[in-house]
Amino acid sequence: MLRPQDTPTRERRSLAGLWDFRLDAAGEGLSSGWYEGPLPEAQAMPVPASYNDVLVGTHSRDHVGDAWYRTTAFVPRGWAGQRVVLRVDSATHAATVWVDGTEVMSHSGGYTPFEADITDLVTPGEQIAVTVVVNNELSFQTIPPGYVEDTPQGRRQRYFHDFYNFAGLHRQVWLYATPHTHVDDITVVTDLDGTTGVVRYRVTAAGDDSHDVRVRLRDAEGTEVARTTGPEGELRVVDAHLWAPGDGYLYDAAVELVAPDGTVIDVYHQSVGIRTVEVRGTEFLINGSPFYFRGFGRHEDTPVRGKGHDDVFLVHDMELMSWIGANSFRTSHYPYAEEVYEYADRHGIVIIDETPAVGLNMGIAGGIFGGPSFETFSPETLNATTREAHAQVIRELVARDKNHPSVVIWSIANEPESHTEAAREYFEPLFALARELDPSRPVGFVNVMLSPHGTCRLSDLADVLMLNRYYGWYVQTGDLANAEAAWRTELEAWAGDGKPIIITEYGADTIAGLHSLTPEPWSEEYQVAYLEMNHRVFDSVDAVVGEHVWNFADFRTSSGGVFRVDGNKKGVFTYDRRPKAAAHALRTRWTAERD
């Protein structure tokens, strides 16, 4: 799905701002027809933002069910004769949308965009009303999964992921216009032939088919370096400037639909980073050179905004990443806002792109977290319907992010149950689907320590081994000497599988300002000692090609557990982005390696 943009043939208008808003825990809005007119008893709500922390009180924080949004906007008069589209970049976790009381689309899945052609419902120059009902309920058939519990004090959403279940319109909502005959999709795959860059493309168009496709490739200075025609083809760039970690060099492919008389019907600009990604033995190669991942698991979670995208925090967080010497991150545990990927493309930041498939492991939910005991895969829990929802989020992830050079690995799940035959049956088709959708990138999943080496039934399906391990925190807590020995033993066993290993999570909860002469758990000194222990282990195993600390910054979690103090404190930065001692220790390690 192409992201809206302004070109000579296209125009977009953001609907960000203050919308009318009302929570609807009783679910009366649909039966009462709230989509037909102004919302009764509405209050203001910023879009984009999570609604949970904007309002005051537990009614918004603990809300389960529908939340209604409404705004009005003028369709620009200049859009007469154009195709008009309404697009929602994300609605967590499901939504239905109306325009002037007419339902135009519904979508399940909280982190990918959806849109509808509303041309026949609007008149350019006149005002429309857009109403969206967002539902935050999770079930065993959603990705991520959860369940709703009826309690004496009302319904409560229970979920199995260890971060807060923020909800709302988290990203931009757009009106945009295109010609009726328009570029519908573009796929770009790059390669190298010596020093010549190879750009293979495929363009699909919608509307009248009496046109040709013309593609012009320009370098960063605007000089045309290649051109061709046809809906599929290849562009070759002599002595190409490669996209590389730390060097986000982008070419611009102007994709044009051209009428028989030479008139340009539509034009869309697709950025192109020429680079290759390859797994060779235990090496992870970018442009044929070994790459070592340094960085973090992160969350879209900032004060008050929750998961609402904010360009200020985007730039600030990326500046902190640069300061500390990080070159990569994982979108844990869901696709991020598209603005994040565009920034990473332009700045040479490497991304492991992950689906929202988190919490697919009842051994964690009923064991480590002490919740109710469920069987992970069964007709009543995660089943064929769940797998189809999982397949759909993979399809939507690849469709949205396939052209970003920053994306080098697809992660199809975080910490699922992976030691059972049921897990194998569930996941094997999903690995095959990811490879079918995009053969150009490695595919993996993130293994949890409940499925150690020798027990995992999925690791042979992965191109890259991604491990989350907490030796010295969740196990051998405070005993770093024994933690180090146990961790090295397991990691050496994984190295024997002959695949590159990325440590996608390791970390220790730390209260900023808590100090101890002898490193004690929760102190800043312990976090530093814990990281140093892990680094000794990583450095002793050649198959390790990356380290992603959990987490970049402290983040919100559910309020139902007593083992979280004001959220998860494993960040090397605080929630408001102040550095702990660990940030300085990582900077020393990572900038020395960078230099």
Side-chain angles (χ1 to χ4, degrees), residues 36-52:
E36 295 176 341
L39 288 179
E41 302 176 25
Q43 62 188 123
M45 179 59 63
V47 173
S50 301
Y51 58 74
N52 309 84

Side-chain angles (χ1 to χ4, degrees), residues 21 87 92 99 122 203 350 391 393 447 451 494 517 520 570 579:
F21 176 81
R87 172 184 167 117
T92 307
V99 173
V122 304
V203 175
V350 174
V393 299
N447 168 282
S451 298
W494 283 108
L517 289 175
E520 295 285 347
K570 294 187 183 68

Side-chain angles (χ1 to χ4, degrees), residues 2-184:
L2 296 179
R3 181 161 165 75
Q5 63 178 225
D6 297 312
T7 76
T9 62
R10 294 169 173 247
E11 192 172 354
R12 62 183 175 168
R13 181 180 179 188
S14 169
L15 299 187
L18 294 180
W19 290 42
D20 291 338
F21 176 81
R22 182 174 174 181
L23 295 173
D24 182 20
E28 63 179 295
L30 285 171
S31 59
S32 298
W34 287 1
Y35 49 84
E36 295 176 341
L39 288 179
E41 302 176 25
Q43 62 188 123
M45 179 59 63
V47 173
S50 301
Y51 58 74
N52 309 84
D53 287 348
V54 174
L55 305 179
V56 177
T58 59
H59 69 292
S60 59
R61 186 194 66 191
D62 297 336
H63 174 74
V64 178
D66 291 341
W68 290 79
Y69 293 79
R70 185 179 188 272
T71 193
T72 58
F74 280 91
V75 178
R77 184 172 56 185
W79 290 7
Q82 295 282 86
R83 166 179 169 263
V84 180
V85 180
L86 175 64
R87 172 184 167 117
V88 178
D89 277 356
S90 76
T92 307
H93 291 279
T96 299
V97 183
W98 294 263
V99 173
D100 289 337
T102 298
E103 182 178 331
V104 295
M105 56 181 164
S106 292
H107 182 261
S108 294
Y111 302 98
T112 43
F114 54 104
E115 63 183 27
D117 184 331
I118 61 170
T119 308
D120 294 340
L121 297 176
V122 304
T123 301
E126 295 188 6
Q127 189 179 67
I128 62 170
V130 177
T131 304
V132 184
V133 60
V134 180
N135 185 277
N136 68 343
E137 295 176 55
L138 299 172
S139 73
F140 280 108
Q141 280 64 62
T142 62
I143 296 295
Y147 65 96
V148 176
E149 180 183 11
D150 289 318
T151 77
Q153 301 305 315
R155 302 167 77 227
R156 297 291 184 265
Q157 177 69 66
R158 311 303 185 193
Y159 47 93
F160 311 119
H161 50 272
D162 189 24
F163 55 94
Y164 192 78
N165 192 44
F166 285 112
L169 293 175
H170 286 148
R171 300 169 189 164
Q172 286 282 353
V173 180
W174 302 96
L175 281 176
Y176 74 93
T178 74
H180 288 281
T181 297
H182 57 277
V183 177
D184 187 55

Side-chain angles (χ1 to χ4, degrees), residues 395-416:
R395 294 186 193 102
E396 294 183 8
L397 174 72
V398 174
R400 195 196 71 166
D401 296 343
K402 61 189 174 182
N403 294 330
H404 289 291
S406 56
V407 175
V408 301
I409 297 174
W410 302 118
S411 174
I412 66 172
N414 176 72
E415 296 189 346

Side-chain angles (χ1 to χ4, degrees), residues 111-112 143-144 163 330-336 341 352-360 389-398 401 409-415 426-427 430 434 443-446:
Y111 302 98
T112 43
I143 296 295
F163 55 94
R330 176 169 58 117
T331 67
S332 43
H333 305 293
Y334 38 81
Y336 287 2
Y341 299 79
I352 300 172
D353 205 2
E354 191 160 85
T355 74
V358 57
L360 281 66
H390 196 157
Q392 186 60 25
V393 299
I394 293 174
R395 294 186 193 102
E396 294 183 8
L397 174 72
V398 174
D401 296 343
I409 297 174
W410 302 118
S411 174
I412 66 172
N414 176 72
E415 296 189 346
Y426 178 96
F427 274 100
L430 299 178
V443 179
F445 81 105
V446 175

